[in-house]
Amino acid sequence: MQRKVIIDCDPGQDDALMLFLAFASPEELNILGVCAVAGNVPLEKTQRNMCILSDIVGNEKVPMFAGRDKPLTNVGLTAEHVHGRDGIDGIDIFSPRTKLEPKDAVDFIVDTLLSAADDEITIVATGPLTNIASAILREPTILPKIHEIVVMGGAMKEGGNITPSAEFNIFVDPHAAKIVFECGRPIVAFGLDVTHQVFTSPNVLERIAKLDNRVAKASHGMLAFFGRYDAQKYRAQGAPLHDPCTIAYLLQPELFELKSCNVRVETDSELTMGHTAVDFWGVTGLRANVEWAHSVHRDGFFDLLIERLSRY
Ligand code: BDR
Ligand code: CA
């Protein structure tokens, strides 16, 4: 089955790998548009990076849109300490041939959903959820059109990566995350519990290095850069491939184990702002609103990634 998807992201090296996986998979995914949001780096850079990545995959038909440059309520926060000054450090930055559409990303999301059938569109979100929440706030009648929202964000067992209790995407815009997680449509969430099971390794980088194409070379360069910070932080052999989990799930859901859980987002506490309270054991009795990913078949994940990179 080919799904119609809108991708919303903040590239970011792991967002880049997510896009590479998606653009290599036209049999499964009909990408209607890609949107950028402020996150890992400011919007001017995430939108430029998105267009650079579009050039690298040779995209000529999927339109690109720029969205919100700051969170709904909180002040913004970026992560150059993880992703580098440009966000996709590890490759040379160039002026992309791909141009942004004049339309704003939130308008694109609203208009696309309004003209879709019920339950028709899957949204993949791998940055702060500002664009998606803004679309829902602007036009709540889009909700029935959403088949599911596949999110990289949150953490339960792994605590947090930007504060002791919050994951970056949720921390940057917890108010947006709350709106999305409580919107009533099916949500599948890939938090740190699962993305910390897919760290790259020297072996993975060697396998990518053997692929002789432009996208694989860019992947190798970015992952080599991205791995440095995380290897030190987590005492791991490389970097966690957070964002590609979303697309890997759409391509091969059997790679992941999910559990239906109630998930609420902390928006009040200064100490735990952006924490995702995942009721994994059903102690609250509250309705499950999220399919929470908690396990991934690591080898299968990297086999899929490398096979798709070899297609370019
Ligand atoms: C998430 O935050 C960003 O740094 C990554 O791109 C990923 O989406 C991980 O916490
Ligand atoms: Ca991201």
Side-chain angles (χ1 to χ4, degrees):
M1 182 194 80
Q2 202 201 34
R3 286 180 187 244
K4 290 185 179 171
V5 297
I6 294 174
I7 298 178
D8 191 87
C9 58
D10 64 333
Q13 291 91 350
D14 61 325
D15 300 80
L17 269 289
M18 176 278 294
L19 289 173
F20 292 169
L21 197 51
F23 276 91
S25 308
E27 278 157 32
E28 295 95 342
L29 306 177
N30 174 3
I31 307 170
L32 304 178
V34 183
C35 303
V37 66
N40 286 321
V41 283
L43 182 68
E44 311 88 73
K45 287 187 178 171
T46 58
Q47 67 191 34
R48 176 206 60 191
N49 293 349
M50 171 179 74
C51 292
I52 288 176
L53 298 165
S54 163
D55 278 13
I56 291 175
V57 298
N59 169 48
E60 291 189 341
K61 70 173 208 297
V62 177
M64 309 269 142
F65 304 87
R68 293 291 173 261
D69 65 356
K70 50 177 175 313
L72 295 184
T73 310
N74 284 7
V75 293
L77 173 78
T78 51
E80 285 86 355
H81 62 294
V82 182
H83 299 273
R85 198 190 56 183
D86 284 299
I88 49 172
D89 292 43
I91 58 169
D92 290 334
I93 300 300
F94 58 88
S95 174
R97 219 162 53 91
T98 300
K99 298 294 170 226
L100 289 170
E101 298 295 317
K103 199 178 217 179
D104 166 76
V106 175
D107 292 340
F108 164 72
I109 294 168
V110 167
D111 293 348
T112 307
L113 288 168
L114 282 180
S115 58
D118 279 359
D119 207 24
E120 193 181 4
I121 311 281
T122 295
I123 296 176
V124 174
T126 65
L129 289 159
T130 321
N131 287 344
I132 314 300
S134 300
I136 294 171
L137 286 174
R138 161 100 59 84
E139 190 49 75
T141 62
I142 61 177
L143 285 171
K145 314 300 181 96
I146 298 173
H147 174 64
E148 65 184 352
I149 309 178
V150 182
V151 175
M152 190 281 131
M156 182 186 66
K157 292 184 187 163
E158 289 287 297
N161 62 355
I162 190 73
T163 73
S165 51
E167 180 279 326
F168 179 79
N169 287 341
I170 307 296
F171 181 76
V172 171
D173 200 341
H175 302 89
K178 184 173 162 63
I179 289 167
V180 171
F181 277 57
E182 293 178 2
C183 77
R185 297 306 297 160
I187 311 281
V188 190
F190 296 85
L192 302 181
D193 298 355
V194 74
T195 70
H196 281 183
Q197 295 174 32
V198 284
F199 279 87
T200 57
S201 65
N203 174 263
V204 165
L205 262 73
E206 260 168 50
R207 290 170 69 191
I208 295 175
K210 286 192 184 130
L211 303 175
D212 188 22
N213 67 57
R214 189 183 183 195
V215 177
K217 282 189 183 20
S219 303
H220 188 273
M222 285 189 282
L223 291 179
F225 179 92
F226 192 36
R228 274 180 234 151
Y229 170 83
D230 283 313
Q232 204 189 13
K233 177 175 177 183
Y234 299 109
R235 298 194 185 161
Q237 291 197 306
L241 286 195
H242 307 285
D243 295 340
C245 286
T246 57
I247 299 293
Y249 164 73
L250 295 182
L251 301 177
Q252 288 186 11
E254 63 279 6
L255 289 173
F256 296 89
E257 279 180 48
L258 310 174
K259 187 169 182 185
S260 303
C261 299
N262 179 268
V263 179
R264 284 176 294 166
V265 180
E266 176 62 61
T267 54
D268 293 326
S269 157
E270 198 185 322
L271 180 62
T272 60
M273 177 69 87
H275 173 68
T276 42
V278 181
D279 184 9
F280 198 75
W281 302 116
V283 295
T284 62
L286 294 170
R287 185 187 71 84
N289 56 338
V290 172
E291 293 297 315
W292 182 256
H294 59 92
S295 179
V296 53
H297 186 300
R298 183 179 187 279
D299 292 348
F301 172 88
F302 282 110
D303 287 348
L304 172 67
L305 179 68
I306 290 162
E307 186 274 316
R308 296 294 157 125
L309 291 178
S310 78
R311 292 183 176 191
Y312 283 102

